[in-house]
Amino acid sequence: MAFAWISSTSPFNPNYYLWNFSKFHFHPSHRVVNCSCNSRLSASANELNFVLHDALDSSGLNTAHARAARLGFCSQIEKLSDIERETSISVNKGVDLGRAALNIAAEDDSLVSHSSVPLPVDDFIERLYSLSMGYCSHYSSSFGSSPENYLKCLERYLYVNKGFRRTNARNQVEQRALYLNSVLTHRSGSISMLSLIYSEILKMLRMWGVLDFDVEIFCPHDSHSSPRGYRKQKSKESDQSHIMTSQSLLMEILKDLKYAFWPFQLDQAKSPFLRAAEAANCFNGSNNSKESALELASAKAARHRLQRGVWTSVRFGDIRRALSACERLILLKTDPKELRDYAVLLYHCGFYEESLQYLMLYQDTKVPNSSRDLDEEAAVEKFIIRLNLISMEEGWCRQSDNRSMLFNNSEPW
């Protein structure tokens, strides 16, 4: 059973999902989740079990380092109050965003490498300290200058002297641009990674007493510009959508990973959920007359990769890292659609019972009169019907071949 009641003495077990539901009930004979929920997401005493770590453990893979990294991530995001979520990343004082990002990298590194030693998070924290100290050594003359000149010197140090540059990691095979440890090493990263490094330097400079004004991080929406800073008092209302907050930064980091490692990459114009849903239709022989030969071939190739445990190429996806990104996005409690996306991955892994539970939970989070994509909602309804039929025909006890093959193949090819 995927649901577990956790004692209030362990409020943020990383293996469990915290959500905003009261009066939560699960009736095993009906396989239906009944819950009443508020229209907005917040903490609750009811928690839902995740699948990834337990499934890997059951197939003989050691997840001790991955679980420790997840715990480290959770220890940071549990500090996210409503105010903290909307605070600029350079002003934020409660959440150690650098450590949170490194714990994301540490978990995924453990999932892929199966290393006997964890990623050295503290060593990379030291690199951030050294980077900030380097600015003090090179540009100490800027300390008494205007805020504008101070930030100009910092950007020259970061993007010219140190050579940090932006890459569009979602659309390329290069995956190291998505993890903070790799960006600190290779100095090429996504917009969210560069924003994080910029803000971490600012926070350390403030901590050392050489920065005495508040800074906003301007995160451009184009495909080539790098993050820039400006004095907080000079922000305008039109800038608000470009200001990176603690919540938006963590969301961007995790969504970059989710999209990069999503196993169904054909037709980027459609949402990841729809791509996975249409692939499921191809596998099950539904609507084949409407599907092109390319779509059918892509769906079958994706299924074959899932069964073989392929994870080396971003273009071909990585089901384990896609699942871990979805689980962490759910923990952030920002968008109910993450429940739905996690459910469709569970379906493709053969976790039918858990997939249905998450889909039902997603359905119960609907906000009255909210706008939702009709194609996506129709796909959700079809999935629920299909999963109920699977329950009646096979029962939940029998594992599919895909489920057992996915988590028993530990070879990275």
Side-chain angles (χ1 to χ4, degrees):
M1 184 180 295
F3 293 91
W5 298 99
I6 304 301
S7 168
S8 58
T9 59
S10 56
F12 226 103
N13 185 328
N15 204 31
Y16 290 84
Y17 144 62
L18 187 60
W19 204 254
N20 169 40
F21 299 103
S22 58
K23 301 179 182 178
F24 186 93
H25 305 288
F26 178 70
H27 197 290
S29 63
H30 295 104
R31 306 293 178 187
V32 174
V33 177
N34 299 307
C35 49
S36 60
C37 63
N38 300 323
S39 61
R40 299 189 65 182
L41 306 179
S42 64
S44 155
N46 302 309
E47 301 174 353
L48 186 62
N49 198 7
F50 284 135
V51 166
L52 179 61
H53 293 165
D54 286 342
L56 292 172
D57 276 339
S58 67
S59 56
L61 299 176
N62 188 340
T63 62
H65 297 323
R67 290 177 186 271
R70 180 70 67 86
L71 181 60
F73 172 76
C74 289
S75 70
Q76 294 302 322
I77 66 170
E78 68 179 342
K79 302 173 185 176
L80 282 172
S81 64
D82 289 341
I83 294 176
E84 193 74 29
R85 287 175 183 270
E86 301 304 319
T87 301
S88 172
I89 55 175
S90 61
V91 180
N92 153 66
K93 297 178 181 178
V95 181
D96 188 336
L97 295 171
R99 191 169 290 276
L102 286 168
N103 275 300
I104 290 171
E107 180 179 350
D108 282 9
D109 176 76
S110 175
L111 293 176
V112 173
S113 69
H114 307 302
S115 173
S116 59
V117 295
L119 188 77
V121 169
D122 289 336
D123 289 351
F124 286 103
I125 293 291
E126 284 296 322
R127 288 201 185 191
L128 285 172
Y129 279 114
S130 298
L131 195 60
S132 305
M133 188 63 72
Y135 175 75
C136 295
S137 301
H138 286 82
Y139 289 96
S140 59
S141 60
S142 69
F143 294 164
S145 62
S146 67
E148 290 74 19
N149 184 61
Y150 195 113
L151 295 174
K152 188 178 296 184
C153 289
L154 177 56
E155 286 156 16
R156 187 184 306 122
Y157 170 73
L158 191 61
Y159 301 131
V160 179
N161 299 125
K162 290 300 180 181
F164 282 90
R165 64 189 187 278
R166 178 183 173 185
T167 60
N168 192 357
R170 286 186 184 176
N171 297 322
Q172 62 175 28
V173 174
E174 186 57 67
Q175 59 187 260
R176 63 190 183 190
L178 303 175
Y179 294 110
L180 182 54
N181 60 309
S182 295
V183 177
L184 288 170
T185 301
H186 301 286
R187 304 189 182 186
S188 175
S190 64
I191 187 72
S192 56
M193 286 293 110
L194 294 184
S195 298
L196 175 58
I197 292 171
Y198 195 132
S199 72
E200 289 298 295
I201 294 175
L202 287 171
K203 285 192 288 184
M204 290 178 190
L205 294 175
R206 181 190 297 278
M207 181 179 67
W208 296 335
V210 296
L211 177 68
D212 59 0
F213 58 92
D214 287 337
V215 183
E216 299 283 19
I217 301 295
F218 185 88
C219 186
H221 290 173
D222 59 42
S223 60
H224 59 275
S225 301
S226 297
R228 302 287 172 180
Y230 60 91
R231 194 172 186 181
K232 185 176 175 63
Q233 283 83 349
K234 294 197 172 184
S235 64
K236 299 174 290 187
E237 187 173 347
S238 59
D239 295 328
Q240 296 304 310
S241 63
H242 294 266
I243 294 174
M244 188 69 83
T245 65
S246 299
Q247 176 173 288
S248 63
L249 175 73
L250 290 171
M251 285 178 60
E252 281 299 307
I253 291 172
L254 292 172
K255 284 186 176 181
D256 282 345
L257 293 170
K258 171 183 165 184
Y259 296 147
F261 296 116
W262 196 259
F264 309 97
Q265 294 289 329
L266 183 67
D267 195 353
Q268 295 288 324
K270 295 179 181 177
S271 70
F273 172 76
L274 272 182
R275 280 181 264 143
E278 291 178 359
N281 288 335
C282 292
F283 299 150
N284 288 276
S286 305
N287 300 322
N288 281 352
S289 61
K290 299 181 181 179
E291 306 293 342
S292 69
L294 178 61
E295 289 173 319
L296 286 169
S298 175
K300 290 177 181 178
R303 168 57 66 89
H304 178 71
R305 291 192 298 272
L306 291 182
Q307 291 175 338
R308 298 301 301 274
V310 172
W311 64 71
T312 56
S313 172
V314 174
R315 292 193 188 280
F316 295 134
D318 176 348
I319 190 66
R320 300 180 190 189
R321 282 184 281 185
L323 284 168
S324 66
C326 285
E327 291 180 354
R328 289 182 296 242
L329 279 164
I330 291 171
L331 283 165
L332 278 178
K333 306 186 293 291
T334 56
D335 188 348
K337 288 183 180 179
E338 303 303 339
L339 290 166
R340 176 202 67 187
D341 292 359
Y342 185 54
V344 75
L345 286 185
L346 293 180
Y347 173 88
H348 282 288
C349 293
F351 290 93
Y352 299 134
E353 180 179 14
E354 294 85 349
S355 177
L356 178 59
Q357 291 165 352
Y358 276 98
L359 283 175
M360 296 300 293
L361 201 53
Y362 165 70
Q363 289 288 73
D364 287 324
T365 63
K366 279 187 179 179
V367 178
N369 303 320
S370 64
S371 58
R372 293 194 176 188
D373 185 281
L374 295 180
D375 290 338
E376 291 181 349
E377 291 306 299
V380 170
E381 295 292 342
K382 289 179 181 178
F383 259 114
I384 291 174
I385 293 171
R386 182 181 299 165
L387 286 164
N388 277 308
L389 289 174
I390 291 173
S391 172
M392 289 186 288
E393 292 178 1
E394 299 182 355
W396 297 120
C397 295
R398 197 185 87 178
Q399 290 186 336
S400 71
D401 292 339
N402 185 43
R403 173 176 179 169
S404 58
M405 289 179 68
L406 173 68
F407 291 104
N408 279 314
N409 189 337
S410 61
E411 295 300 321
W413 54 275

